[in-house]
Amino acid sequence: QHYFRLEKKLANYTDELFFLNQDDYKIAKKNFKKIKKIYYTPGLGIDLSLYDQESKKEEQAKLRQTLNIKAHDFVLLYEGDLTKENRQDWLIEALSDLFINNENFHLLLLGSDELHGKCQEMASEMGLTKQIHFLGYRTDEIEWMHIAHVALNASLDQGFPLNILKAICIGLPIIAVETRGVKDLVITNENGFLIDDKDAGELCSRITQIYLDTALRKKMITYNLSKRKEYALETIEPQILQQIKD
C-alpha cells in the first residue's frame, strides 16, 4: 500500500511478479494489466527440520528458569522488532489488567528495540517487569518459541508475517490483528483468532479462552501442525519453479 504508486510505475518494466499474500496479489491482478504473469505463493519455503525440538525439553526448561517462569505458567510470545508499526506499546497497555490479575501470565518480546526503552518503562510503571520479558534480537528465536503457549501479532501492516508462519510450524495457537498477510495464515477458531486492531478487550478475552480451554488449545496445535507441510521448502519450491516454467 505504501509503495503502490512506485510499484505501478515499475510494472511497465516488469514481466513477472510474485506476491506472498492474497490482498496484494488481487490488487496487482486488477491494476497491473501490462504484466504478463502474476503469481501468488504462500511464502518461499520453510525448513521444517529447524522446528522439531521435542528432544530439547531439558534446554527448554532451562530457558524458562532463566526468566523465573514456572512449569505451569502461561507464556505469550511476540517476535518482531519493537517499533511503532509493530505496536508492542499498545500490546503492553492492552494486557496490563490481565497480567495484574494473573501473575502466572508472561509475555516474551523478541526483537531489537527501536522505541528506545519506551516499552520497558511502561512495564516498569505497571509493575510487570517480572512478567514482561524483553529478550532483544535473537538468533535462537525458535528455541524461545517452543516454551510459549500462544503467539501474538499486533502489527497493522505485514505483507508476509514470517513470525506467524514460524508459530504455525511449531504448532502455536495465534492471536493476531486482522490485516493483509495475516488473514492468509490465521483462521478464527481453527488455528487461532483474528482480532480488531483497537480491541484490547477482545485480545484479553481470546487469550483467556485459549488458557482455560485446553481442548481448544490442543485443536489449534493439531491444526497448525497438520498445515505446516504446505509451507515447507519441499512443497513451495516445486510450485515456484513450475510457475516460472509455465
Side-chain angles (χ1 to χ4, degrees):
Q1 295 173 346
H2 297 258
Y3 303 104
F4 178 73
R5 292 175 65 183
L6 176 61
E7 290 170 344
K8 193 168 185 178
K9 185 176 182 179
L10 291 176
N12 295 319
Y13 310 98
T14 304
D15 295 316
E16 300 183 6
L17 268 179
F18 280 85
F19 289 92
L20 303 183
N21 70 72
Q22 289 281 3
D23 283 352
D24 288 346
Y25 171 72
K26 290 173 182 176
I27 291 171
K29 292 284 283 187
K30 180 179 179 181
N31 293 280
F32 299 164
K33 302 295 185 182
K34 294 183 180 180
I35 297 180
K36 297 175 183 177
K37 295 181 179 180
I38 298 176
Y39 308 104
Y40 163 72
T41 178
L44 300 176
I46 290 283
D47 181 359
L48 293 182
S49 67
L50 299 175
Y51 295 85
D52 295 324
Q53 299 192 14
E54 286 301 311
S55 62
K56 296 186 177 181
K57 292 295 184 182
E58 290 186 10
E59 288 86 344
Q60 291 164 21
K62 290 177 182 178
L63 287 181
R64 296 170 77 93
Q65 289 171 7
T66 63
L67 301 178
N68 199 28
I69 297 174
K70 299 178 178 63
H72 298 293
D73 286 352
F74 193 66
V75 181
L76 312 170
L77 181 144
Y78 185 10
E79 183 199 4
D81 290 342
L82 277 64
T83 65
K84 180 179 178 181
E85 294 76 17
N86 285 337
R87 303 200 312 154
Q88 284 88 354
D89 52 348
W90 176 85
L91 185 66
I92 291 170
E93 181 71 36
L95 294 176
S96 58
D97 287 343
L98 180 67
F99 272 43
I100 289 170
N101 293 320
N102 294 274
E103 294 184 357
N104 61 320
F105 280 25
H106 293 262
L107 173 64
L108 310 184
L109 293 172
L110 281 65
S112 300
D113 183 10
E114 297 180 21
L115 295 177
H116 311 294
K118 176 184 178 182
C119 293
Q120 291 89 332
E121 186 176 334
M122 289 177 65
S124 178
E125 290 175 352
M126 295 172 182
L128 297 175
T129 53
K130 293 182 179 180
Q131 293 169 263
I132 299 178
H133 310 277
F134 299 90
L135 303 181
Y137 171 76
R138 313 293 306 194
T139 58
D140 60 347
E141 74 280 3
I142 296 173
E143 284 83 353
W144 287 100
M145 293 179 83
H146 271 280
I147 72 170
H149 297 99
V150 176
L152 303 178
N153 192 319
S155 176
L156 294 177
D157 186 24
Q158 288 198 297
F160 188 76
L162 184 57
N163 60 340
I164 289 182
L165 187 56
K166 291 176 183 178
I168 290 173
C169 291
I170 289 171
L172 290 179
I174 301 153
I175 302 174
V177 168
E178 184 172 0
T179 185
R180 68 190 185 106
V182 173
K183 295 185 294 183
D184 298 336
L185 298 177
V186 181
I187 303 172
T188 290
N189 289 317
E190 293 292 345
N191 65 337
F193 294 105
L194 293 171
I195 62 171
D196 182 80
D197 64 340
K198 298 181 180 68
D199 197 336
E202 184 183 11
L203 169 67
C204 294
S205 175
R206 293 307 192 186
I207 291 171
T208 303
Q209 184 178 356
I210 293 175
Y211 171 63
L212 295 175
D213 192 341
T214 55
L216 175 64
R217 196 191 316 168
K218 289 178 181 177
K219 170 193 166 185
M220 291 178 171
I221 291 170
T222 301
Y223 183 93
N224 275 335
L225 292 177
S226 70
K227 295 289 286 186
R228 70 179 193 161
K229 199 166 185 180
E230 295 179 11
Y231 308 106
L233 186 62
E234 60 265 29
T235 302
I236 297 294
E237 188 176 47
Q239 291 178 4
I240 294 176
L241 293 175
Q242 187 60 49
Q243 288 173 324
I244 294 173
K245 289 178 183 179
D246 290 345

